[in-house]
Amino acid sequence: MGTLALGLTIYHLVKTFEFTGGAEGIGGIDPLAKNEWTNALILATVLGILSVLLVRVKKSKWWRTLLSIRSAEEKADCFGIDSKKVQQVVYIISAVIAVLAGAFHARILGY
């Protein structure tokens, strides 16, 4: 019940306040660049950097740590891997990637 009440409260607050744009959302976000090719170049650069970083993670010890936690979290804990800390770091990394995706989505579309 508490979760439902909180969700409805946030919904009505967002719908009511002017700075959130109400049901229309926040508008007037300027595009990254006026030229579509510049937008594509910026997006390709950021995606390239992210891809290189993720490939480097996949070739590291940390990747094996992630695989061990995925297959057997209790065994990883027995070997001295702090699985809760690793899971928090992975959650933060995925949140940063999601924020970047949302920011580029809004900027490129010029919502």
Side-chain angles (χ1 to χ4, degrees):
M1 270 320 231
T3 306
L4 179 63
L6 180 67
L8 287 173
T9 303
I10 291 173
Y11 171 76
H12 286 292
L13 286 175
V14 167
K15 198 172 171 186
T16 306
F17 289 128
E18 288 182 27
F19 69 88
T20 61
E24 297 293 318
I26 299 174
I29 298 174
D30 295 329
L32 260 150
K34 301 294 181 197
N35 188 354
E36 289 183 21
W37 287 103
T38 308
N39 281 336
L41 182 63
I42 293 170
L43 183 61
T45 303
V46 171
L47 285 175
I49 291 170
L50 270 175
S51 298
V52 167
L53 289 175
L54 291 175
V55 166
R56 286 185 57 95
V57 165
K58 193 166 181 179
K59 293 181 180 181
S60 69
K61 258 192 215 182
W62 202 63
W63 181 255
R64 288 191 290 274
T65 301
L66 292 175
L67 291 177
S68 68
I69 290 173
R70 182 185 70 179
S71 62
E73 186 176 343
E74 294 83 17
K75 286 183 185 178
D77 287 334
C78 290
F79 282 112
I81 297 171
D82 188 4
S83 61
K84 297 299 177 198
K85 183 179 177 184
V86 172
Q87 287 173 351
Q88 287 174 348
V89 170
V90 169
Y91 184 75
I92 290 169
I93 291 170
S94 66
V96 167
I97 293 172
V99 165
L100 283 172
F104 276 114
H105 182 73
R107 286 289 193 174
I108 288 175
L109 291 181
Y111 189 79

